Amino acid sequence: MLEIRDLVCGYGHVTALKGISIEVREGQLVALVGANGAGKSTTLRAISGLVPARSGAIRFAGHDITGSDPRRVLGHGIAHCPEGRRVFPQMSVAENLAMGAYQRRDPAGIAADLARVYGEFPRLAERRGQSAGTLSGGEQQMLAIGRALMARPKLVLFDEPSLGLAPNIVERMFAVIRAICDKGTTVLLVEQNAFAALELCDYAYLLETGRIVLAGQGSTLISNPHVRKAYLGG
Ligand code: ATP
């Protein structure tokens, strides 16, 4: 479904991605793990059209989306749930969710998806009129996830959804992401929480300073000596 080939990206003199290749098959939950600064967020930004490719190609569902702007990428069915949640703090929960559907023109479908999001996250339903900035970190993360789902995407890109959340909320959030995939939406998940991501995923890539150094099933990476030593505490 998503195929990245030899992608090179950077910022000024920094080359953040030095020719990475990644494949995400339809229906899979694929994790991209690695340390701080490895280039995980840059990979997602490149897919979304927020960072230009210097070379290489990104294909999605048969289309070449290399160099497409973010609106067009969303139009192809890729939603981005960014790091730090980035909800609109002054807007209400309901308005934030409506923003997720801004490119859609099917009111009945939008209403059905809104009901589904509220069903999945009852806290958001209870707080639908409240401004998003007053929500807890966990609630804001759920709102960011709900907003991404309101686009009815084929693929969702999650950037560090566990960042800054309490452990019990992290667990619930990973369960929600697994459920999103199990219900038919393909997922590319970026995480520093390597163990949780590797346990959750169908397939994983390890990124180190802009290069993919390992790929395989989550269980294979969990038992890899290098991964254990460098990312899982031995
Ligand atoms: P993190 O978990 O910290 O987000 P990451 O693996 O997602 O890490 P990136 O954010 O993709 O890493 O960063 C990759 C490299 O690009 C790093 O060297 C980083 O310093 C650099 N970088 C990221 N964003 C910018 C920017 N806006 N301007 C300049 N350099 C940047």
Side-chain angles (χ1 to χ4, degrees):
M1 182 178 234
L2 177 75
E3 192 183 3
I4 300 177
R5 280 281 159 259
D6 303 321
L7 181 66
V8 178
C9 283
Y11 309 91
H13 297 300
V14 179
T15 305
L17 300 177
K18 301 167 185 165
I20 66 162
S21 297
I22 285 176
E23 199 185 313
V24 181
R25 299 197 181 151
E26 189 168 0
Q28 277 189 333
L29 195 168
V30 172
L32 182 60
V33 297
N36 230 326
K40 305 182 299 298
S41 299
T42 303
T43 305
L44 299 191
R45 287 189 212 123
I47 297 166
S48 285
L50 297 165
V51 176
R54 289 184 177 165
S55 63
I58 306 172
R59 291 185 67 78
F60 179 70
H63 301 275
D64 184 354
I65 59 163
T66 324
S68 292
D69 63 58
R71 266 185 67 118
R72 191 172 285 243
V73 174
L74 181 61
H76 279 295
I78 301 180
H80 192 152
C81 197
E83 184 175 344
R85 312 189 260 277
R86 306 281 171 90
V87 297
F88 304 106
Q90 316 290 349
M91 289 166 61
S92 70
V93 166
E95 287 165 343
N96 269 274
L97 291 173
M99 288 298 288
Y102 86 101
Q103 282 195 9
R104 293 175 62 181
R105 298 285 175 271
D106 57 329
I110 293 172
D113 286 344
L114 186 61
R116 209 166 297 142
V117 168
Y118 283 146
E120 186 77 47
F121 306 117
R123 296 281 286 196
L124 296 183
E126 285 163 24
R127 286 150 204 259
R128 65 184 81 192
Q130 198 170 316
S131 55
T134 65
L135 300 178
S136 72
E139 289 162 355
Q140 288 189 21
Q141 184 61 68
M142 297 305 172
L143 178 56
I145 294 174
R147 186 180 55 187
L149 294 178
M150 287 302 295
R152 200 179 277 189
K154 299 188 184 97
L155 169 70
V156 189
L157 313 175
F158 287 106
D159 196 348
E160 301 274 5
S162 75
L163 201 72
L165 301 182
N168 59 329
I169 296 168
V170 168
E171 210 170 291
R172 155 122 170 85
M173 206 256 331
F174 282 132
V176 164
I177 291 174
R178 184 70 245 182
I180 288 169
C181 181
D182 292 344
K183 286 178 192 159
T185 307
T186 307
V187 172
L188 178 57
L189 167 70
V190 153
E191 262 296 332
Q192 260 192 73
N193 188 339
F195 188 73
L198 293 176
E199 270 206 312
L200 195 72
C201 72
D202 301 308
Y203 201 80
Y205 291 88
L206 174 63
L207 192 59
E208 288 183 350
T209 56
R211 295 182 204 281
I212 300 290
V213 296
L214 267 179
Q217 291 186 340
S219 53
T220 309
L221 265 69
I222 285 178
S223 54
N224 178 286
H226 170 65
V227 174
R228 296 192 74 83
K229 188 156 180 284
Y231 300 95
L232 306 177

